[in-house]
Amino acid sequence: MTILFKNARLIDPEQGTDAPGWLLVSGGTITQAGTGPVPHSDEVVDCGGKCLAPGIVDIGVKVCEPGERHKESFRTAGLAAAAGGVTTMVTRADTVPAIDTPEVLEFVTRRAGEDSPVRIAPMAALTKGRAGREMVEIGFLLDAGAVAFSDGDTVTTDTKVLSRAFTYARSLDALVIAHPQEPGLSNGASVTSGKFAALKGLPAVSPMAERMGLDRDIALVEMTGVKYHADQITTRRALPALERAKKNGFDVTAGTSIHHLTLNLLDVGDFRTFFKIKPPLRSENDRLAIVEAVASGLIDTISSFHTPQDEESKRLPFEEAASGAVGLETLLPAAMQLYHAEMLSLPQLFRAMALNPAKRLGLPGGRLSAGAPADLVMFDPDAPFVLNRFEMLSKSKNTPFDGQRMQGRVLQTWVGGAKVFDAKG
Amino acid sequence: MTFRGKHLLGIEPLHPVEIITILDLADEYVGLNRASVKHADALTGLTQINMFFENSTRTQASFELAGMRLGADVMNMQMQASSIKKGETLIDTALTLNAMHPDLLVVRHPHSGAVDLLAQKVNCAVLNAGDGRHEHPTQALLDALTIRRSKGRLHRLNIAICGDIAHSRVARSNILLLGKMENRVRLVGPPTLIPSGAADWGVEVYDDMAKGLEGCDVVMMLRLQKERMDGGFIPSEREYYHRYGLDAGKLAHAKEDAIVMHPGPMNRGVEIDGTIADDINRSVIQEQVEMGVAVRMAAMDLLARNLRAEAA
């Protein structure tokens, strides 16, 4: 069966274009894109001049299955993803228990297949139990479908263990995703150090801890030759190290979070725990530097780092409250803030949210070219709304954007040529 | 007289006029406290609960006495010993207490922001008796009253706050209050105990006592908070005393009539020499304790007036 998406504003991150046109899909695969006279098709979807872009590939989604289904399940995460234009959730391994054996990974894949309307690309832990002592069965886990290896936001403090894991991963050409952070400095911290943290009396970490972590990891990459992705670069001072590593030809990429691109440390205000994330929100100077680094391509990917937390984990004094924010449904509207502020174009945004993550993980999606899967998001970048967290589909409602005026709504989401979300219901 | 707040959570939201209102009323209560019959009825019929999630003798006693002198029914709860151990959350504790219809809740908690959080969940007036490293507003107010009474004014003074600034909520509240009243505030201490970003607060930062105390009207010493230090802020207590402990030699750099303050409890021989602390010509440490009761009476009186106005 063929489907024609006509009258669309095509956002093509590969070509770097944002132009009117049509897209033809056949058997779940994109077959042709063009302008002018439209080809014949079995079905026609009129985009009404709205944007059509490759579906978002979100690296670092926490689904909370197994272990914490009261916070999020494959069903609720999948629905939230579809509503947010995320067509592939690259899921985290920091569940309870950790996803560190092929058996647990198979459970995840099966559960996702049963319940999630969008695709799942699971990550596996890098060390057993994410304890930083022994590497996981990287070979078996690759065979079971792991797309990358990561202990989430836990830093492997034992550099010898990490160097062995990197060396072994290199032999299998596996991608390792790490959280660059000097663990001694950041231990116990809940905000970034500076005037604000000191005034509020909150335990704080210097932004320099991120650069120290990155410096160590890059040295290990140089030593081992592993394929490395830094999950979140959020500070200006970490950027020169990243730039040098790329110039030196190491296989290094980096991501950042939508929250670090759109919020700063002052948003914490009077101890608002929904703004407690890891790493903590940074200064406005850092935020602007990171936006620029995404624009230049130095930072490759933008993710939501969707981290569901129930009310009980957040309704605590700031130091005790859990870290993390949900983001699947707000990633696209938050990204539109950067578009409307004329800091990033739509092709630049979708390069970082769809094309680059797919490329880095070796997935076929993230593009509009012939042969790619028909994973698509149709959206209106201008549609205004006020976010009400209780209207979100995610089981946990811990969003920092509650009550905020936003622009940009997902109209339809398609996965493999099938419609999985329609704003009209 | 102007005091708008429903709670007293910190100095940060207060307007200078509100600070003066509290201090003026506290001055009147100093008189009452020195009279032979120490009783008034500003809080008669009201229930005051003191909830201390952190050990305290002095502050709790001061709040308790303040409430009793104004006729409130006062209850003390040692939270460390009770429900916290059973895993109850702060919010649950707050809701439980709220159901008992207190009018004034005095709270101390080891975590910054915890008292703000609690205030959002209860109907009564909440007084912050110290939250983590954030604020301790009644301490700053009693310090201000002490300074005003001994210097005759609370503006254009040179005030040095010395020692463990990093772990001190007293320092934060004092910096805010003294800044609002247009004083020149200096922070003096080893750089490891000065929070990063302090220089952006509109204060001058010194790591040398002699320079920091030069020409000061007020020398405010802070307690070295050994219990909050998880390692390596200072090399040793004796080196700390040598470089930062207040003795006659260091005090000689301040003005001749400079007063010496300390929020207590003191570590004699660590941050302050015993003879300085006991020198009745320089030290106002005992007066601080006296002002503490009066300031807390004033603060609770004003909050109770707002409660009644709201109910009416």
Side-chain angles (χ1 to χ4, degrees), chain A residues 198 200-201 203 315 319-320, chain B residues 12 91 111-112 133 172 201:
Chain A
K200 291 292 174 188
R315 279 173 50 185
E319 286 169 57
E320 289 177 67
Chain B
E12 195 186 1
I91 303 281
H111 287 144
S112 304
R133 300 186 282 184
R172 281 169 180 76
W201 285 349

Side-chain angles (χ1 to χ4, degrees), chain A residues 387-404:
Chain A
L387 186 82
N388 174 356
R389 68 190 185 108
F390 296 106
E391 285 171 5
M392 297 197 310
L393 300 172
S394 184
K395 202 177 274 187
S396 292
K397 314 293 183 192
N398 54 309
T399 172
F401 298 116
D402 186 39
Q404 192 169 316

Side-chain angles (χ1 to χ4, degrees), chain A residues 90-416:
Chain A
V90 183
T91 55
R92 296 213 306 252
D94 54 348
T95 47
V96 189
I99 298 163
D100 58 358
T101 63
E103 290 78 11
V104 187
L105 191 81
E106 275 156 20
F107 165 82
V108 167
T109 315
R110 179 172 57 75
R111 286 285 305 122
E114 287 166 358
D115 270 4
S116 169
V118 306
R119 296 181 203 271
I120 304 287
M123 292 192 274
L126 182 64
T127 64
K128 288 176 186 163
R130 301 192 306 119
R133 281 192 289 276
E134 287 174 87
M135 70 179 93
V136 295
E137 295 169 315
I138 296 177
F140 282 157
L141 281 157
L142 277 174
D143 293 344
V147 293
F149 294 83
S150 171
D151 281 346
D153 59 21
T154 306
V155 179
T156 306
T157 49
D158 189 331
T159 307
K160 189 169 256 176
V161 170
L162 196 61
S163 74
R164 287 187 187 131
F166 278 17
T167 304
Y168 193 85
R170 165 74 182 87
S171 73
L172 291 161
D173 203 26
L175 175 68
V176 171
I177 300 183
H179 183 70
Q181 194 69 218
E182 209 296 306
L185 271 184
S186 56
N187 185 25
S190 53
V191 286
T192 303
S193 64
K195 180 184 175 184
F196 175 80
L199 205 56
K200 291 292 174 188
L202 290 169
V205 58
S206 164
M208 205 61 103
E210 181 173 288
R211 176 176 127 193
M212 291 182 198
L214 186 66
D215 278 338
R216 178 194 72 160
D217 287 3
I218 288 172
L220 284 172
V221 171
E222 187 171 351
M223 204 169 109
T224 61
V226 73
K227 248 162 84 176
Y228 176 92
H229 178 77
D231 67 346
Q232 302 183 58
I233 294 298
T234 60
T235 58
R236 182 174 55 83
R237 285 202 167 111
L239 294 173
L242 180 64
E243 198 170 6
R244 267 198 312 277
K246 286 189 163 188
K247 277 209 180 109
N248 288 340
F250 302 140
D251 196 351
V252 168
T253 52
T256 193
S257 92
I258 190 66
H259 299 120
H260 289 96
L261 289 172
T262 53
L263 302 168
N264 71 31
L265 56 86
L266 296 177
D267 286 307
V268 168
D270 284 329
F271 307 100
R272 296 194 290 172
T273 58
F274 280 11
F275 292 82
K276 182 177 179 183
I277 57 176
K278 208 174 162 188
L281 288 171
R282 306 301 192 181
S283 69
E284 181 65 4
N285 272 341
D286 279 332
R287 184 185 79 85
L288 294 172
I290 297 305
V291 173
E292 257 178 54
V294 171
S296 73
L298 177 58
I299 287 181
D300 305 87
T301 65
I302 301 173
S303 304
S304 73
F305 289 92
H306 182 81
T307 306
Q309 297 290 2
D310 54 15
E311 304 284 303
E312 283 66 38
S313 328
K314 283 287 189 184
R315 279 173 50 185
L316 290 169
F318 199 86
E319 286 169 57
E320 289 177 67
S323 299
V326 290
L328 284 167
E329 288 161 86
T330 47
L331 175 54
L332 187 136
M336 289 306 117
Q337 287 182 9
L338 300 165
Y339 163 67
H340 290 297
E342 293 175 3
M343 294 172 128
L344 293 169
S345 69
L346 292 177
Q348 280 176 320
L349 281 166
F350 279 86
R351 182 182 70 196
M353 296 194 296
L355 178 66
N356 284 345
K359 268 168 55 178
R360 190 56 171 152
L361 297 167
L363 303 173
R367 59 203 93 198
L368 291 184
S369 46
D375 294 358
L376 301 165
V377 52
M378 188 203 299
F379 65 96
D380 178 350
D382 303 314
F385 67 101
V386 176
L387 186 82
N388 174 356
R389 68 190 185 108
F390 296 106
E391 285 171 5
M392 297 197 310
L393 300 172
S394 184
K395 202 177 274 187
S396 292
K397 314 293 183 192
N398 54 309
T399 172
F401 298 116
D402 186 39
Q404 192 169 316
R405 288 191 181 88
M406 304 189 93
Q407 256 182 295
R409 285 216 110 149
V410 174
L411 303 172
Q412 291 182 10
T413 305
W414 294 70
V415 174

